[in-house]
Amino acid sequence: MEKRKLRDLIGTKLMLVITIFIAFLFFLILFTLLTGSFFIIEDQSITELLFSSNWRPRSGEFGLLGVIIGTIIVTSIAMIIAVPISLLTSVYIVEYAPKKVRQVIRPFIDVLAGVPSVVYGLCAFIVFVPLIRDFVAPFFGEFNSSGFSLFTASLILSIMVFPIIISLCIESFNAIPIELKEASLSVGATKWETVKKVIFRASGPGVLSAILLGFGRAFGETIAVSMVIGNQEKIPSSLFNQGQTLASIIAQNYVDVMSLPRLQSALIFVALILFIVVLIFNMLGFLILRKARARWNY
Amino acid sequence: MELLNRRLLEEKIFAILMICSILIVVGSLILIFTVIVFNGASSISLEMLTQTSSPRFYLGKGGGGILNAIIGSLLLALPATAVAFLIGISIALFLQRDFTHPTISNFIRLCLDILWGVPSIVYGIFCMTIMIGIGMSTSLLFGIIALTLLEIPIITRSIDESIKMTPLGLKESAYSLGSTKFETAIKVVRRQALPGIVAGVLLGLGRGIGDAASILLTVGDSNFIPDSLYDSTAALPTMILNLLSMPDPNVQSKAYAVAFILLIIVLIISIASRSLIKKSTKYVIK
């Protein structure tokens, strides 16, 4: 009897400690990144880091403006491509597709979600880079594009966020009570009108949080982007120019990071920006999703 | 009549748009697979799978292989998954109402959800900062730590979701027989959560084996199979990056072969998880 009670006590306390560790991991990461980037913030002011576009690690200049603009452009274009396509796909899967198609497509999307990002990057390297260089960029009047460009990175990012947005959207579409749809259909609305006016409205928070989570993924994606974006820290002048994003600049400098303490601190600062931005967007996403879940009970 | 036609036209246009978008999604998956399989299968050889790499391998002068990267990847992902599983199942069991107040457990779930969304490069930088802070160099150990942190939220949330499905009556009957909270959690609830455990562990393993960003800064590179936890090691995803950065196109094509192997591993994990989840669901009491 004593032995069982002791085991209960030890087991429970152990679980408690591990759980506290995870709750604190979050603050530990924040704290570590803050202390790590302290060196560079002290060395150059935050405004200089954020609003100067001179990135010259060897002469000690770490202006991130070009990189930040590159990140915003790449992420927003990726989302502009990905959101309508994934929304329409999930509507099709939930409302239109015959049962057989549905059963085939779901595993497809799961597999798409599990493909490592380096494989996506390699694919973009093999297919998209020549495609952009030889066809797309000349079509838009850019004849000097090397194919490594902001647009290439956006394309592969949009493919990478498809599965996230689609699976979350499907989940929230499925949670809508069937009576809502029936009511709309019975007063003579077409299927699409039902989708537009009932389903999108009822699952609005779910869809919004799916988009926010997809955004977080696109924003923080490192490897695939760094393989095709061309790695130039200047302010990009065109979509078909080379650029850099916050995440890919870290991957780009991974060789030098051990030997240059200032660069190291600057990259920790970049990681801090990534962490905080993703934190804000994910927090928003999850709070919205929680509200939606409470409303429709899923 | 005019109006009806317009509405039907809208219906048709959107039906076509939907078909287009689903073709884009499925097409992109097929594109990725065909590109990697065609390019990879043509440059793969048995020699590559059975030898470790060497400087000559990176220069394209024949010889050498990727055995050290395959083993390195397994040595990184398997221990990381094991540790993440142990941590994950403890947290998931502890989040039950029996142990924790729902307000607190919801806060911890929020933390886990946010950690899930943190980009893996941030985990990489975090581990690198700690590694440099305590004066160590790139090693297998810190790669494992980075991957563990990456996998914990994935595994925990998956187990947590399936624990939530446990019928209350089942726990109550265990309690009424006099078992302690810990015994109920370990012997009854864990069994109920088996499908979630399988799904979470395999999802985490797949994510861990394919993730490059978190290990890029922490494991370094080496041409040998690591002897101890403190050795640097090669891994499949980082090897793809290294091979791709070489100027010789023949060497670059070896990256396709490595990606092919990585894709096969991930696919095997994904298929295994489907069938294992199905099998383990049989033993769940509803």
Side-chain angles (χ1 to χ4, degrees):
Chain A
M1 189 62 207
E2 274 306 300
K3 220 169 116 192
R4 282 179 55 207
K5 266 200 171 156
L6 192 70
R7 205 190 297 157
D8 181 63
L9 190 75
I10 293 173
T12 311
K13 290 286 174 271
L14 199 65
M15 275 152 65
L16 175 72
V17 169
I18 292 173
T19 309
I20 289 176
F21 161 71
I22 282 306
F24 271 90
L25 176 64
F26 184 74
F27 299 101
L28 187 66
I29 293 179
L30 196 62
F31 177 74
T32 313
L33 294 182
L34 270 175
T35 39
S37 50
F38 199 65
F39 180 50
I40 198 75
I41 295 175
E42 217 172 34
D43 193 55
Q44 335 199 329
S45 64
I46 285 206
T47 41
E48 206 173 313
L49 286 171
L50 292 179
F51 299 110
S52 147
S53 59
N54 296 319
W55 175 270
R56 293 192 204 91
R58 305 230 168 244
S59 52
E61 290 182 74
F62 298 99
L64 288 167
L65 187 64
V67 182
I68 293 173
I69 292 178
T71 313
I72 296 173
I73 294 176
V74 168
T75 321
S76 29
I77 292 179
M79 294 314 283
I80 290 171
I81 301 172
V83 168
I85 293 179
S86 5
L87 273 183
L88 286 173
T89 306
S90 24
V91 166
Y92 181 80
I93 292 174
V94 174
E95 296 296 324
Y96 287 75
K99 204 176 170 203
K100 259 195 186 148
V101 178
R102 211 177 304 172
Q103 279 168 343
V104 176
I105 285 179
R106 281 308 296 274
F108 254 85
I109 288 169
D110 288 347
V111 170
L112 199 57
V115 174
S117 57
V118 62
V119 173
Y120 279 108
L122 196 61
C123 242
F125 183 83
I126 302 173
V127 181
F128 289 163
V129 169
L131 189 76
I132 304 270
R133 183 184 57 213
D134 299 336
F135 298 104
V136 182
F139 182 77
F140 287 101
E142 290 267 347
F143 294 98
N144 302 326
S145 175
S146 62
F148 294 94
S149 67
L150 296 171
F151 188 67
T152 322
S154 314
L155 267 187
I156 195 66
L157 273 184
S158 65
I159 294 181
M160 293 178 75
V161 296
F162 282 157
I164 300 177
I165 304 186
I166 292 175
S167 55
L168 284 168
C169 279
I170 289 178
E171 195 188 331
S172 64
F173 288 162
N174 277 332
I176 299 171
I178 195 153
E179 291 82 2
L180 278 183
K181 286 182 233 165
E182 285 172 347
S184 164
L185 290 172
S186 69
V187 291
T190 62
K191 230 174 180 182
W192 170 250
E193 283 167 344
T194 308
V195 168
K196 192 168 62 174
K197 299 203 170 134
V198 176
I199 297 187
F200 279 167
R201 196 169 292 179
S203 61
V207 171
L208 191 61
S209 85
I211 293 172
L212 285 175
L213 292 183
F215 171 87
R217 175 87 196 266
F219 184 78
E221 177 48 45
T222 310
I223 297 300
V225 172
S226 80
M227 285 164 94
V228 295
I229 201 166
N231 302 308
Q232 288 280 322
E233 287 85 10
K234 283 177 287 199
I235 295 179
S237 55
S238 134
L239 266 185
F240 299 104
N241 266 6
Q242 293 152 321
Q244 186 78 286
T245 69
L246 285 169
S248 69
I249 200 171
I250 302 177
Q252 177 59 22
N253 290 296
Y254 80 98
V255 181
D256 295 334
V257 72
M258 299 296 169
S259 49
L260 302 170
R262 279 162 157 231
L263 176 67
Q264 185 185 317
S265 181
L267 292 185
I268 296 174
F269 179 67
V270 172
L272 182 69
I273 302 178
L274 276 179
F275 186 68
I276 292 175
V277 173
V278 168
L279 190 77
I280 294 171
F281 273 86
N282 281 8
M283 198 107 89
L284 270 179
F286 286 115
L287 290 180
I288 294 171
L289 189 65
R290 186 158 292 171
K291 222 170 217 177
R293 282 198 176 139
R295 187 165 163 202
W296 303 115
N297 289 322
Y298 66 96
Chain B
M1 210 52 212
E2 188 75 7
L3 182 68
L4 183 65
N5 278 340
R6 228 179 53 210
R7 287 170 58 202
L8 287 180
L9 187 68
E10 193 187 329
E11 172 85 26
K12 254 192 198 131
I13 290 173
F14 275 96
I16 292 168
L17 282 179
M18 276 178 220
I19 301 278
C20 289
S21 44
I22 199 145
L23 285 181
I24 292 175
V25 173
V26 175
S28 57
L29 179 68
I30 294 173
L31 176 83
I32 286 168
F33 273 77
T34 43
V35 165
I36 297 296
V37 169
F38 270 95
N39 286 296
S42 59
S43 48
I44 209 169
S45 62
L46 193 65
E47 195 190 19
M48 265 179 89
L49 294 178
T50 51
Q51 292 183 7
T52 58
S53 66
S54 62
R56 288 171 60 85
F57 176 69
Y58 282 106
L59 293 173
K61 291 188 178 146
I66 57 167
L67 183 68
N68 56 330
I70 297 176
I71 293 181
S73 259
L74 293 177
L75 284 179
L76 283 166
L78 292 177
T81 311
V83 177
F85 161 69
L86 288 176
I87 295 179
I89 194 164
S90 320
I91 301 170
L93 289 174
F94 198 74
L95 287 180
Q96 293 177 90
R97 192 182 286 266
D98 316 28
F99 294 97
T100 321
H101 192 273
T103 320
I104 296 171
S105 54
N106 277 335
F107 170 74
I108 290 169
R109 285 194 184 106
L110 183 68
C111 280
L112 284 167
D113 282 343
I114 289 169
L115 286 177
W116 188 330
V118 170
S120 52
I121 190 81
V122 173
Y123 289 115
I125 285 271
F126 170 67
C127 287
M128 182 201 76
T129 315
I130 291 184
M131 182 178 85
I132 293 170
I134 59 175
M136 290 181 66
S137 59
T138 52
S139 60
L140 193 58
L141 177 68
F142 282 93
I144 294 174
I145 295 177
L147 287 183
T148 308
L149 296 181
L150 182 73
E151 290 179 21
I152 285 174
I154 301 173
I155 296 181
T156 313
R157 287 301 267 142
S158 174
I159 299 177
D160 182 43
E161 289 299 324
S162 69
I163 282 182
K164 275 189 199 161
M165 303 290 177
T166 312
L168 194 60
L170 207 65
K171 277 196 261 180
E172 277 169 351
S173 41
Y175 286 134
S176 66
L177 289 172
S179 55
T180 61
K181 277 201 273 189
F182 185 64
E183 282 168 346
T184 314
I186 287 291
K187 290 186 181 153
V188 179
V189 180
R190 178 193 44 89
R191 238 167 254 200
Q192 279 298 107
L194 199 60
I197 293 173
V198 172
V201 166
L202 289 174
L203 201 64
L205 183 63
R207 184 84 195 273
I209 218 162
D211 193 81
S214 60
I215 59 171
L216 192 61
L217 298 155
T218 46
V219 297
D221 192 19
S222 143
N223 286 326
F224 308 100
I225 296 168
D227 287 328
S228 79
L229 270 179
Y230 305 107
D231 283 355
S232 291
T233 177
L236 289 170
T238 49
M239 191 172 224
I240 294 176
L241 295 177
N242 290 339
L243 286 170
L244 212 56
S245 65
M246 294 289 153
D248 185 354
N250 285 327
V251 181
Q252 286 189 352
S253 73
K254 286 177 188 161
Y256 311 153
V258 183
F260 178 60
I261 291 169
L262 188 59
L263 196 61
I264 287 179
I265 295 177
V266 171
L267 265 188
I268 291 174
I269 293 173
S270 163
I271 293 168
S273 98
R274 282 196 160 268
S275 68
L276 282 176
I277 289 170
K278 220 177 235 170
K279 260 187 196 161
S280 59
T281 314
K282 267 195 284 190
Y283 303 106
V284 172
I285 300 162
K286 292 220 172 80

